[in-house]
Each structure stands twice: as C-alpha cells, then as structure tokens.
Amino acid sequence: MAEIVRGFWGVVFVGFLMLSKWIDSYEFEDFIFNKTSTGDGAITPTPLLIALTLIQGAAAKGAVCLDGTLPGYHIHAGSGSGANSWLIQLEGGGWCNTVRNCVFRKTTRRGSSKFMEKQIQFTGILSNKAEENPDFFNWNRVKVRYCDGASFTGDSENKDALLQFRGQRIWEAAMAELMSKGMRNAQQALLSGCSAGGLASILHCDEFRTLFPSSTKVKCLSDAGLFLDATDVSGGHALRDVFKGVVSVQGLQKMLPSNCTNKLDPTSCFFPQNLISNIKTPLFLLNAAYDFWQIQSSLAAPVADPHGLWHDCKRNYEKCSASQIQFLQDFRNDMLNAIKGFGVSTQNGLFINSCFAHCQSERQDTWFADDSPLIDNKPVALAVGDWYFDREGVKAIDCAYPCDKTCHNMVSK
C-alpha cells in the first residue's frame, strides 16, 4: 500500500513539474537549431560575463521577488561615444497563473534571487563587441532579472501562501537605481525585453519615456513579446486562460493601462495586440511569425491537444502535416492583422520573419552573425539600429513559410 501511495504522489509531482514547465518560458538549452552559425561572428569565443547586483534598497520599498528576496540586475558600463547611452533589457521567463504555480516558482530563479546565476553572459544586443553588436556595443547595457511572474506588473501579496507580487515596485526600484548610476544623464535610451520581458517592455514603454527629459532620444523594443489571443488547436483559448489566471492571482486589474481597461476586460489588456495602438513612444516589434513558444505553449499546449496529435509537429515543424501548416499560416495571418494599425505609424518599426523561433535579440547567431536570419538582406541588429537611429524606416515583414532559407529554427531535442 505504501508503495502505491508513493507511486501516486510521484505521478502527481511529475505532472506538477510538467505543468510548471508549460507555464514557464522554455529554456534555449532544451532546443537545437536546424541551422547552425559557422561564421567568425556567430559564437563569442570569450563571452562577456557580468556579475549579479542586488538592489539593496529595494526591500524598504517593498520591491521584492515572489519569495521576498531582493531583485537584481547585471550591468556593463558604456564607454566612448556610448557613455551616455543606455540599453535596458528586461528578462523573460513565462508567468505563474495559480497560487500553487507561483509557490513552485519561488524555488527557481524566476521567483527568487537566491537561485539566480551569479554571472550571466552578455551576447547579442548585450555584447560589448562592435562586430557582434554594431550599434549598441559601447552603451551602458543592463539586464534586469525577472522574479515576479507577471511581466513586472503586479503590486499585491498573498499572505497565506507567503507570496509577494511586486513586479511594478521591482520595475520602479530598478529604474531608480539605474538613474542614480548615471542613467538620468542619458542622451539616448532603449528599453528592450524578450518574451515575458518583451511584453513588459510594451507595458512599461511610455512609463520609461517619462523618466527622461524630452531632449533624450527614447524608444522601446519588444522581442518575442507579441503574444496573441489566438484560437488554439482545440478551438479554445489556452493562453487567454493562462493570462486570466495571472491577472486574477496577482490582482492586475488596477495595474494595467486604463486606456485599455476602460474599453476591454483586464485579461484582454494583458495581450499586446490591445495595447500597442495606444503607446505614444516609438516601439519596434521583433517577432517570429511562427513563434516557437506560442506554438508549444499556447496553440498546441497540452490542455489543447490532450491526445498528442500535434506532438511531433510542435517540436519540429518539418513533421507538420499540410493541415497543421495551414493552421500555422492562419496564426501568422492573425499576427499580421493584429499589427496593421501599429505598422501604419512612421515612428514604429517591424521585423516579422517567417521562422520557428523565439527571442532573437539575445542570441548572437540570430542577432548579428555571418549567417543570421535576414529580411531583404538585412539582419535583425541592423534593422533595429536603422530604426533606432532614424537611418531609415523599417517595416520588414517576411514572406510566408517556407520561403525564408536564412531562419535559425528551433527544434525540440
């Protein structure tokens, strides 16, 4: 009997871990790529390692991670012409949408600075090498760690579960700390983020603009943050269900932009497609039209595909049937429709490539390397740089799959 009980709880625990893995953003080490960069600029021989800095004054402001520990960031100082320019990268990593899920998250680097790496590599848009990061290599570059589970948005707590939902306070404490370290003198500033951090860069874009005088050039970049309120393979809305849980558990109703919540329900106002038209600050959307995370965790999530009909396809696009590819083409069309109004503005930028990828600004091979993904012969780094510095307008939208042969497509191991 004892063995049966232990076996039962073993299955429950494994299921819980699988659920947590689904809600959390997939880690790049879980994947291989069907195209590997081999050029000199593809892989950093000696990647820049930057130490974690904890925000010592954050606790007094109530700006703490889910478990009450101090939030943190990594910073590499700018130099030369970039000494007064600042790039802020908000870390991604999914969300927690139930109390149980948030409690589990406290035992990871996504919910506690106790588990954060003491050093991380700065590559891609964070690289300090001109040949890897031509426009931002000598800026002050900062990565703000993510440990609140709601894209730096919440401001509440659950005393019974010992959970602190203080994403907004973490954002404010991090910005105050960086302003004190010289960001207040910035002549140029770019707020960026990947995945859940890409959503955060959208949510905080106009707020970031208000930190600086009008003379400062301020723009925002969202990488893989265009999460769609799309119909999944079961006809349901798996990601909407997740976002509804995030909004409910963390009490985000009053934290989301009022110009959206005055018209739509709070869950809808956690979706970027309902926010981007109201953002006044110039914004660049970098996204894969077949976003790998959204295919894995939204369109064909386990709850939407209980019989595993999409198991092979969602892990390797080359194994998709014709009808599955058509479903993904419809998703791409939904994405393009969602950004139609946004793309009209001359101040905004777009780079929507037809790849099965997720987060292309932080990886060196997809940001700027000899065989990086291209649209109209231009890699992501140059497209973002041209847009930021007003060298030219950038509205790069790829042709549909399978036309792009430059993609670095993610394939599950």
Side-chain angles (χ1 to χ4, degrees):
M1 182 66 180
E3 290 181 0
I4 293 174
V5 171
R6 282 197 298 271
F8 168 77
W9 284 111
V11 170
V12 170
F13 181 68
V14 170
F16 176 51
L17 291 179
M18 290 178 66
L19 174 64
S20 299
K21 182 67 173 175
W22 171 57
I23 297 298
D24 200 4
S25 187
Y26 282 81
E27 302 299 330
F28 283 125
E29 58 262 27
D30 291 335
F31 304 102
I32 57 176
F33 295 81
N34 75 345
K35 179 171 183 177
T36 304
S37 297
T38 56
D40 293 338
I43 301 173
T44 307
T46 53
L48 181 66
L49 291 173
I50 303 299
L52 175 67
T53 299
L54 297 179
I55 305 174
Q56 296 301 328
K61 301 175 181 179
V64 292
C65 298
L66 287 172
D67 69 337
T69 54
L70 294 175
Y73 62 93
H74 306 255
I75 183 170
H76 189 248
S79 61
S81 61
N84 288 319
S85 298
W86 287 74
L87 168 68
I88 310 301
Q89 178 82 348
L90 302 177
E91 185 181 31
W95 311 269
C96 57
N97 66 327
T98 66
V99 171
R100 185 181 185 185
N101 190 267
C102 292
V103 168
F104 173 78
R105 197 175 174 95
K106 288 199 303 181
T107 65
T108 75
R109 68 183 188 276
R110 305 300 191 201
S112 172
S113 58
K114 289 190 298 185
F115 302 102
M116 290 178 184
E117 306 92 329
K118 302 308 178 193
Q119 291 183 318
I120 63 170
Q121 296 181 5
F122 269 27
T123 59
I125 197 172
L126 296 174
S127 172
N128 65 329
K129 296 179 175 64
E131 65 271 21
E132 297 177 345
N133 188 21
D135 283 310
F136 308 107
F137 72 97
N138 64 347
W139 284 31
N140 297 278
R141 298 167 331 283
V142 182
K143 184 156 192 172
V144 181
R145 299 305 295 268
Y146 177 40
C147 63
D148 65 276
S151 289
F152 296 88
T153 343
D155 191 12
S156 64
E157 64 180 331
N158 184 319
K159 292 182 179 179
D160 293 337
L162 301 177
L163 287 166
Q164 294 291 319
F165 303 124
R166 304 298 183 184
Q168 177 65 30
R169 296 193 190 192
I170 292 172
W171 157 263
E172 293 173 358
M175 294 304 105
E177 170 103 341
L178 296 173
M179 292 296 273
S180 73
K181 289 183 174 291
M183 193 168 74
R184 62 165 51 95
N185 301 316
Q187 297 171 353
Q188 303 178 120
L190 176 61
L191 176 67
S192 65
C194 155
S195 194
L199 171 56
S201 69
I202 293 172
L203 287 163
H204 289 290
C205 183
D206 283 341
E207 192 177 351
F208 186 65
R209 165 72 268 188
T210 64
L211 297 175
F212 305 96
S214 59
S215 58
T216 304
K217 187 183 190 71
V218 180
K219 297 188 179 186
C220 307
L221 164 65
S222 173
D223 177 8
L226 189 58
F227 298 98
L228 292 189
D229 188 9
T231 303
D232 60 42
V233 298
S234 71
H237 288 80
L239 189 56
R240 168 167 277 272
D241 293 340
V242 171
F243 277 9
K244 184 177 181 180
V246 177
V247 170
S248 175
V249 168
Q250 296 220 18
L252 302 185
Q253 294 86 345
K254 295 181 179 180
M255 305 301 296
L256 295 166
S258 59
N259 55 19
C260 180
T261 55
N262 287 339
K263 303 172 185 176
L264 301 173
D265 63 275
T267 300
S268 295
C269 295
F270 203 58
F271 280 98
Q273 66 200 77
N274 299 319
L275 303 172
I276 52 179
S277 62
N278 292 319
I279 293 173
K280 299 179 176 63
T281 308
L283 172 64
F284 192 102
L285 297 179
L286 162 62
N287 231 92
Y290 313 98
D291 186 281
F292 194 75
W293 189 93
Q294 292 191 62
I295 295 172
Q296 287 268 342
S297 302
S298 170
L299 298 180
V303 294
D305 182 35
H307 301 297
L309 301 178
W310 277 74
H311 179 271
D312 292 340
C313 171
K314 74 178 185 178
R315 292 176 176 273
N316 185 344
Y317 65 99
E318 293 181 343
K319 297 181 180 179
C320 297
S321 67
S323 62
Q324 289 171 329
I325 288 294
Q326 184 56 55
F327 183 91
L328 297 178
Q329 300 292 23
D330 291 341
F331 174 74
R332 172 182 177 271
N333 291 335
D334 289 343
M335 183 177 292
L336 297 185
N337 286 329
I339 60 175
K340 270 185 179 177
F342 172 87
V344 171
S345 172
T346 56
Q347 72 173 7
N348 295 329
L350 292 169
F351 192 100
I352 310 294
N353 56 351
S354 291
C355 303
F356 292 81
H358 185 70
C359 286
Q360 299 178 85
S361 64
E362 295 180 336
R363 290 187 59 87
Q364 194 58 55
D365 65 324
T366 49
W367 175 248
F368 194 68
D370 290 348
D371 64 344
S372 289
L374 307 171
I375 300 181
D376 296 330
N377 293 317
K378 185 177 292 187
V380 176
L382 295 187
V384 172
D386 284 349
W387 165 79
Y388 182 87
F389 292 103
D390 303 309
R391 295 191 290 250
E392 62 178 83
V394 178
K395 301 291 171 61
I397 298 179
D398 218 348
C399 49
Y401 171 82
C403 73
D404 192 338
K405 306 305 180 185
T406 70
C407 288
H408 292 205
N409 292 309
M410 300 175 73
V411 177
S412 182
K413 288 182 180 177

